[in-house]
Amino acid sequence: MTHNVTAATRLFDTLPLLACDPRIRIVFTRTGSSAFDSGTAEFLARHGVESIPWAEAVRREFDLAISASYGGDLHELRSPLIVVPHGMGYNKILGNSAFGLSAEWLMHDGAVIPSAIVLSHAEQRERLRSACPPAEPKAVVAGDICFDRLRASHGLRPSYRRAFGLSGGRKLVVISSTWGPHALLDTAPDLPLRLAEQLPVDEFALLLAPHPNIVAGHSSWQFGELLAAAKRAGVTVPDDVDAWRAAIVAADLVVGDHGSVSFYSTALGNPLILASAPTHTVDPNSPVAQLLATAPVLDPHGDLHRQVRDAIATHDPNHYSAITALTTSEPDASPAILRTLMYRTLELTEPTEPAELSALPLPTVTLTVPESYLAVVRVDAEGVAHLTRFPAERLRAPDSTPRGAHLVIGVTEPRRRWLQLADVVVGVSGPGPRRWITDTLAGLPGLLLAATPTESGRWWFGDRSGTMLSASGDARACRSFASIACHHLSRGKRLAELGGEWRIDCAGRTYSLVVAPSTV
């Protein structure tokens, strides 16, 4: 049974333990009870599963039913029901009780609905016994299969970072938001953009991991529009709802709230800053409540760059170990326990080979860098040019523009005001670089310089005097030289004087580049 996309993702962790058995046929159904059902049918269709209507699911008898949530008419099922959690245990208060541990969710007409209630840690059994005594005999402590996959993947952290495109010491900050009025994106919807504006582009990458209910509560189109400025500023917003898993394996910091992603990341040993810590929304006896009471809270009016930098630099991976030990009481054993439970319920002989899971797939999304940015250049006594970049979105607040910065814009949908303010424009690869530079400078009279790569990979740089320079090498170094050239042009030098060998430092990584007059 799938209530929404979130619940469906947890089922796809669990069901592979059965799906490889030819004796078993698996079908899906949607309860239709969730206010966030939008997109669920499409999600299941992309996975290629067989789906049946809910009316058919409650009419037929199955040997086993599995759900990763409560709600709806689960009591109408004519099949033994196993319910697994769809997050890090049972923490949130819905109504007057902890979701999934009270009679409100577990009982109907005086009877316990599930045949088995899967818990990830033994501490949940005590809370279940206190909240709904008749349900306690149905409890099965089976660990956390999602966390087991995260643990299995953690040894491959360098591979996840490489797949994300992280290099040269660039830090990955994951911004995680659960759903609801007290979640990060509800209380601070501009925080992803503000973080991007304050963090140097080449030192930090940002990835947003929103709860699927947020998208379902709007639409994918509107959600994209809400985040358009943040995405222009370099915040990566993956389409894959499971991208958060690889992201927290690769992360250097999570800025989060009371959702499961923040807790899972902390349990992996990552630093955490809470942008929202609504303790009244979670069970006070839950592990999440303990983390909310302990972790540092972001000062939204303070220096965000300093807070991020300090959280990473001063972090002790074992600081929260007493709390995160409550993630699972059966580490790495969840596949075996769950498979035994499901086969026992099915009354089938369990396969003899060990129940195993796979590490997470490598991410297919590359972390983005803003195409338009404010650049600050400093040339030291040894002639090394040091470049620091910030997203152009920082121009929203003119008083926060870095001193001495110039504006570099790309040609993919730049803002109209940026076209008027730009000092440098960087084109996309194509033929005829000399003509493109000349025409672009004529069309944008405020420009000092235009730069573009050619189809061969060689870069051209031109100013209003008609001087053309070119260089070959690392694309980041060539793009950086456009800012170095602009810095010198704004101080009265001529472009023709800037040929020769350059050393450019960007976020601690030094590039060498030879620039020469263009003769073609």
Side-chain angles (χ1 to χ4, degrees):
M1 273 72 58
T2 54
H3 291 73
N4 47 44
V5 170
T6 307
T9 62
R10 186 56 59 93
L11 291 176
F12 284 113
D13 282 334
T14 305
L15 290 172
L17 299 171
L18 299 177
C20 57
D21 191 330
R23 297 173 295 172
I24 298 172
R25 178 186 172 207
I26 298 173
V27 297
F28 283 71
T29 189
R30 292 160 46 224
T31 64
S33 60
S34 173
F36 304 103
D37 181 56
S38 174
T40 307
E42 294 81 1
F43 179 82
L44 295 176
R46 286 195 299 271
H47 280 75
V49 302
E50 179 183 354
S51 295
I52 61 173
W54 175 249
E56 181 180 349
V58 297
R59 184 178 70 250
R60 292 171 54 184
E61 291 189 18
F62 291 88
D63 297 296
L64 172 63
I66 304 174
S67 176
S69 190
Y70 291 94
D73 298 322
L74 296 180
H75 61 278
E76 294 184 359
L77 291 166
R78 304 172 65 188
S79 314
L81 173 65
I82 296 174
V83 180
V84 300
H86 64 260
M88 202 301 297
Y90 301 89
N91 302 285
K92 289 186 180 180
I93 298 292
L94 286 182
N96 299 313
S97 58
F99 179 70
L101 292 183
S102 64
E104 177 184 357
W105 305 104
L106 296 171
M107 300 190 69
H108 180 77
D109 286 345
V112 178
I113 299 169
S115 304
I117 303 165
V118 172
L119 310 177
S120 55
H121 195 284
E123 67 85 16
Q124 295 160 21
R125 185 189 288 273
E126 299 306 315
R127 289 193 283 138
L128 175 64
R129 181 184 294 121
S130 174
C132 188
E136 192 271 336
K138 305 288 188 179
V140 178
V141 179
D144 187 319
I145 194 167
C146 177
F147 189 57
D148 283 356
R149 289 195 76 189
L150 291 167
R151 282 168 54 90
S153 307
H154 202 250
L156 293 172
R157 185 172 185 266
S159 296
Y160 291 95
R161 291 180 63 82
R162 176 192 282 176
F164 272 125
L166 293 164
S167 62
R170 195 174 182 218
K171 306 297 185 185
L172 173 58
V173 177
V174 176
I175 306 164
S176 169
S177 179
T178 188
W179 64 281
H182 305 288
L184 182 150
L185 283 179
D186 272 70
T187 58
D190 65 339
L191 183 59
L193 173 58
R194 293 183 58 231
L195 281 167
E197 288 173 346
Q198 293 198 28
L199 298 179
V201 164
D202 300 291
E203 298 177 32
F204 294 92
L206 292 99
L207 181 143
L208 179 64
H211 194 289
N213 285 3
I214 302 174
V215 182
H218 295 88
S219 68
S220 58
W221 170 79
Q222 186 182 9
F223 185 66
E225 291 299 305
L226 290 170
L227 292 170
K231 290 192 284 188
R232 284 194 301 269
V235 178
T236 301
V237 187
D239 293 328
D240 182 2
V241 297
D242 282 327
W244 66 268
R245 304 188 194 206
I248 65 171
V249 172
D252 295 282
L253 171 71
V254 166
V255 178
D257 54 20
H258 54 300
S260 293
V261 175
S262 298
F263 197 98
Y264 279 137
S265 176
T266 307
L268 289 177
N270 294 329
L272 170 69
I273 304 177
L274 293 168
S276 176
T279 54
H280 65 286
T281 67
V282 297
D283 183 342
N285 297 312
S286 68
V288 168
Q290 297 179 48
L291 184 62
L292 295 183
T294 308
V297 177
L298 187 76
D299 176 5
H301 306 294
D303 184 334
L304 298 181
H305 183 192
R306 179 185 56 78
Q307 292 178 74
V308 166
R309 184 188 62 230
D310 290 351
I312 295 172
T314 63
H315 177 61
D316 174 5
N318 298 314
H319 182 69
Y320 303 105
S321 58
I323 299 172
T324 58
L326 301 174
T327 309
T328 174
S329 52
E330 300 291 342
D332 305 324
S334 187
I337 298 171
L338 284 174
R339 191 179 74 172
T340 295
L341 171 64
M342 291 187 290
Y343 271 92
R344 184 171 65 241
T345 306
L346 285 165
E347 298 182 353
L348 282 178
T349 304
E350 187 174 359
T352 56
E353 65 269 15
E356 292 193 72
L357 49 71
S358 299
L360 299 166
L362 292 177
T364 56
V365 60
T366 299
L367 299 169
T368 57
V369 174
E371 188 179 58
S372 300
Y373 48 87
L374 292 164
V376 179
V377 175
R378 176 180 61 85
V379 181
D380 66 22
E382 297 180 353
V384 178
H386 299 266
L387 175 65
T388 305
R389 302 189 296 164
F390 298 91
E393 288 289 337
R394 192 158 172 167
L395 289 168
R396 294 184 315 135
D399 57 344
S400 70
T401 302
R403 185 175 181 179
H406 61 263
L407 176 60
V408 181
I409 65 167
V411 295
T412 305
E413 299 186 43
R415 309 298 276 175
R416 181 174 181 271
R417 191 163 68 96
W418 297 354
L419 289 167
Q420 297 169 339
L421 297 175
D423 300 290
V424 179
V425 65
V426 177
V428 297
S429 175
R434 183 183 297 274
R435 179 63 180 269
W436 178 88
I437 289 173
T438 300
D439 291 349
T440 299
L441 290 168
L444 297 171
L447 292 178
L448 290 177
L449 184 82
T452 184
T454 65
E455 293 168 314
S456 66
R458 190 166 187 83
W459 280 68
W460 281 56
F461 311 89
D463 68 359
R464 295 194 172 279
S465 72
T467 301
M468 299 283 172
L469 299 180
S470 66
S472 294
D474 188 285
R476 287 166 292 188
C478 293
R479 178 181 284 268
S480 297
F481 179 74
S483 285
I484 310 305
C486 180
H487 171 81
H488 286 287
L489 289 172
S490 67
R491 283 156 177 77
K493 282 199 172 184
R494 294 182 297 114
L495 187 61
E497 300 176 55
L498 303 181
E501 184 173 355
W502 286 88
R503 285 186 297 158
I504 304 170
D505 176 86
C506 188
R509 186 168 182 175
T510 301
Y511 303 93
S512 293
L513 189 70
V514 176
V515 181
S518 296
T519 58
V520 179

